[in-house]
Every structure is written in structure tokens, then in C-alpha cells.
């Protein structure tokens, strides 16, 4: 696996590497290999994963063919996904007028 570092931006390259590793399933495999897994448990887990994949594929095919309705999209919450401590766009607009020169107290000079 290879990631290019552009303009000495190591943080961005690290994010890209983590995303690639997540897609490949490396983190999941590392977690599974922490402890020994008995062959019978491994077979049961792999069989359950195969059933899950088959059901997902059948569900997607049925949706594509119009046999079942597509799931409703989840409602988006206004503040979800933003970093804590940062004002939203609407908060920034309302705060903009609070710090103008007209609202600051005059100093006696």
C-alpha cells in the first residue's frame, strides 16, 4: 500500500492511509488476530459473514429491480458533522453585528 505525501502535508497523507486501510479491512483483521480463534468459531463467523453478504446483495438487487422499496434516507440534523466549538454559518452571521465599531464603548482620551 502506498500513499504520496504532497507539499510535506503528512497529516493529510496519514488520513488517506487510514482510509485505505479501513477500506481494505486491515483494522478488522488486526483486531481478529489479537487472540487465537478456534477453527470451529472461524468457520461459523465466516459462514455468518457470507450469509450477511448474500442477503445484502439480494436486497440491493431487489431494490434495483423495483421488487421492494428503497429505504428512506435518514433525516439530517442541522448541527451534525460539524466540529464542536466552531460556530455554524447562521451563528457567525448573528455574531458579526455584535463586534462592530458602533457597538464598542468609546474610550475617554
Amino acid at each position: 500500500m502506498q500513499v504520496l505525501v504532497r507539499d510535506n502535508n503528512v497529516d493529510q497523507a496519514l488520513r488517506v492511509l487510514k482510509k485505505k486501510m479501513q477500506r481494505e479491512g486491515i483494522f478488522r483483521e488486526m483486531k481478529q488476530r489479537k487472540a487465537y480463534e478456534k477453527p470451529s468459531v472461524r468457520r461459523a463467523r465466516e459462514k455468518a459473514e457470507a450469509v450477511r453478504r448474500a442477503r445484502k446483495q439480494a436486497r440491493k438487487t431487489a431494490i434495483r429491480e423495483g421488487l421492494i422499496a428503497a429505504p428512506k434516507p435518514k433525516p439530517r440534523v442541522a448541527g451534525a458533522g460539524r466540529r464542536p466549538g466552531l460556530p455554524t454559518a447562521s451563528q457567525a452571521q448573528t455574531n458579526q453585528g455584535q463586534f462592530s465599531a458602533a457597538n464598542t464603548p468609546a474610550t475617554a482620551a
Side-chain angles (χ1 to χ4, degrees), residues 10 12 23 26 28 30 33 41 46-47 53 58 63 69 71-72 80-82 85 87 89 92 97 99-100 105 109:
V10 177
Q12 192 257 346
R23 276 196 213 122
I26 293 175
R28 183 178 42 207
M30 284 172 33
R33 289 180 183 231
V41 174
E46 287 176 351
K47 187 175 182 180
R53 279 194 308 271
I63 290 171
K72 294 180 184 177
R82 69 176 191 90
F99 301 110
S100 64

Side-chain angles (χ1 to χ4, degrees), residues 32-45:
Q32 285 175 356
R33 289 180 183 231
K34 275 186 179 178
Y36 177 74
E37 187 176 27
K38 289 171 44 177
S40 60
V41 174
R42 181 178 179 192
R43 280 192 301 271
R45 178 183 51 80

Side-chain angles (χ1 to χ4, degrees), residues 11-87:
D11 292 333
Q12 192 257 346
L14 191 60
R15 280 195 306 270
V16 170
L17 177 65
K18 284 183 180 179
K19 190 179 282 189
K20 281 186 175 185
M21 290 173 71
Q22 179 73 30
R23 276 196 213 122
E24 292 290 323
I26 293 175
F27 292 126
R28 183 178 42 207
E29 188 175 340
M30 284 172 33
K31 187 176 177 182
Q32 285 175 356
R33 289 180 183 231
K34 275 186 179 178
Y36 177 74
E37 187 176 27
K38 289 171 44 177
S40 60
V41 174
R42 181 178 179 192
R43 280 192 301 271
R45 178 183 51 80
E46 287 176 351
K47 187 175 182 180
E49 287 174 358
V51 168
R52 208 171 303 125
R53 279 194 308 271
R55 281 187 185 151
K56 184 176 182 180
Q57 174 112 26
R59 185 172 53 246
K60 285 188 175 250
T61 304
I63 290 171
R64 210 174 302 120
E65 293 174 356
L67 299 175
I68 59 173
K72 294 180 184 177
K74 294 181 181 178
R76 297 190 67 173
V77 180
R82 69 176 191 90
R83 294 188 352 222
L86 294 178

